Amino acid sequence: MRSCCSSPTRYWHERMTLDWWGLGLQAINVLILVWLLSRVFWRPVAGAITRRQEAAQAMLDEGKTAQAKADAALAEVTEARAGIAAERDAMLAEAKAAADTVAKAVRKDAQTEADTLLAAARKAIDRDRTTARKENAAKATELSVEIAARLLGQFNTPAVRAAFLAQLVEAIAGMSDSERTALIASGDIEIVTATDPEGAERAEIEQAVKDALGGAPRFRLVTDPDLIAGLELRSAHFVLHNSWRADLENILKEVENAG
């Protein structure tokens, strides 16, 4: 029976100890947060408010000093002659005008500073929006090109390869004699294909390029799947682009330049 009675008391003490630890940790967190806010936020803001108040108080003190001098002068003049009231009113009006001028100048400076900050913020927002639009447009264009490349890769048929071969032969024919001579003399000419041609197709490509270049140039066939479809000539100092990949890259550059 004793053990049954003591167990709830010990459990209650344990709960109270855990609650006190939790309250202590929360109090420490609050103190740390208050200290950080006082160091990072409240102290600079309080300093700025204090400086503003001191400047305003200085202006008020100057006004009070001028008022006191005016009252003293008016008291002396009142004893000496009549009609001092008009002079007193004039001095008071001048002091009020001066105070109004100072107040207007302060308000104008504050408004000018606020307008400057607002204009800078709007300019930054417009710049960020323009940059974001350009980046989104560039990403969309790149994605479109990649999608187009995947779709075009499904149409790399023999008829398409034959069309690219005809275009390559036509491009070689459009070269000057000096360009063809320099290309043949460079040696190690590569005929780059998107897929590895076999049998009759390979022989047809080799013979067509030989006939177009003239002579007996040395070349080898190289496979580059990145072409998607097409035939290109490459050497150490020469590249004749003739593929869907080259066409897509040109389209991408044109879009980027237009943007």
Side-chain angles (χ1 to χ4, degrees), residues 75-109:
E76 294 177 359
V77 174
T78 302
E79 295 176 0
R81 65 181 181 180
I84 196 64
E87 185 176 355
R88 178 176 179 275
D89 291 340
M91 294 181 67
L92 288 174
E94 183 180 356
K96 184 177 182 301
D100 291 341
T101 301
V102 173
K104 288 180 181 179
V106 172
R107 288 196 298 270
K108 184 178 180 180
D109 291 341

Side-chain angles (χ1 to χ4, degrees), residues 38-113:
S38 66
R39 296 284 294 180
V40 177
F41 177 74
W42 287 335
R43 184 174 296 177
V45 172
I49 294 174
T50 301
R51 289 193 294 273
R52 292 279 182 156
Q53 290 177 344
E54 290 176 352
Q57 188 61 44
M59 288 190 291
L60 290 174
D61 292 341
E62 291 179 1
K64 289 180 180 179
T65 301
Q67 183 68 46
K69 291 181 180 179
D71 291 341
L74 287 173
E76 294 177 359
V77 174
T78 302
E79 295 176 0
R81 65 181 181 180
I84 196 64
E87 185 176 355
R88 178 176 179 275
D89 291 340
M91 294 181 67
L92 288 174
E94 183 180 356
K96 184 177 182 301
D100 291 341
T101 301
V102 173
K104 288 180 181 179
V106 172
R107 288 196 298 270
K108 184 178 180 180
D109 291 341
Q111 185 63 43
T112 301
E113 183 177 359

Side-chain angles (χ1 to χ4, degrees), residues 67-209:
Q67 183 68 46
K69 291 181 180 179
D71 291 341
L74 287 173
E76 294 177 359
V77 174
T78 302
E79 295 176 0
R81 65 181 181 180
I84 196 64
E87 185 176 355
R88 178 176 179 275
D89 291 340
M91 294 181 67
L92 288 174
E94 183 180 356
K96 184 177 182 301
D100 291 341
T101 301
V102 173
K104 288 180 181 179
V106 172
R107 288 196 298 270
K108 184 178 180 180
D109 291 341
Q111 185 63 43
T112 301
E113 183 177 359
D115 292 341
T116 301
L117 293 175
L118 182 59
R122 287 176 177 173
K123 186 176 181 180
I125 291 173
D126 292 339
R127 184 174 60 251
D128 292 341
R129 286 178 178 173
T130 301
T131 301
R133 282 196 298 268
K134 290 182 178 179
E135 290 178 352
N136 290 335
K139 291 179 180 178
T141 303
E142 291 176 358
L143 180 59
S144 299
V145 170
E146 290 300 324
I147 294 173
R150 293 181 182 179
L151 293 175
L152 290 173
Q154 300 177 6
F155 297 96
N156 188 10
T157 62
V160 170
R161 293 194 293 270
F164 274 112
L165 178 59
Q167 292 177 3
L168 180 64
V169 171
E170 183 179 353
I172 295 173
M175 298 170 57
S176 64
D177 293 338
S178 59
E179 289 175 339
R180 281 195 296 271
T181 302
L183 177 60
I184 295 171
S186 65
D188 294 330
I189 302 173
E190 293 181 348
I191 302 176
V192 186
T193 62
T195 57
D196 188 12
E198 297 181 356
E201 184 179 3
R202 184 184 187 94
E204 181 182 1
I205 293 172
E206 293 177 350
Q207 189 61 47
V209 174

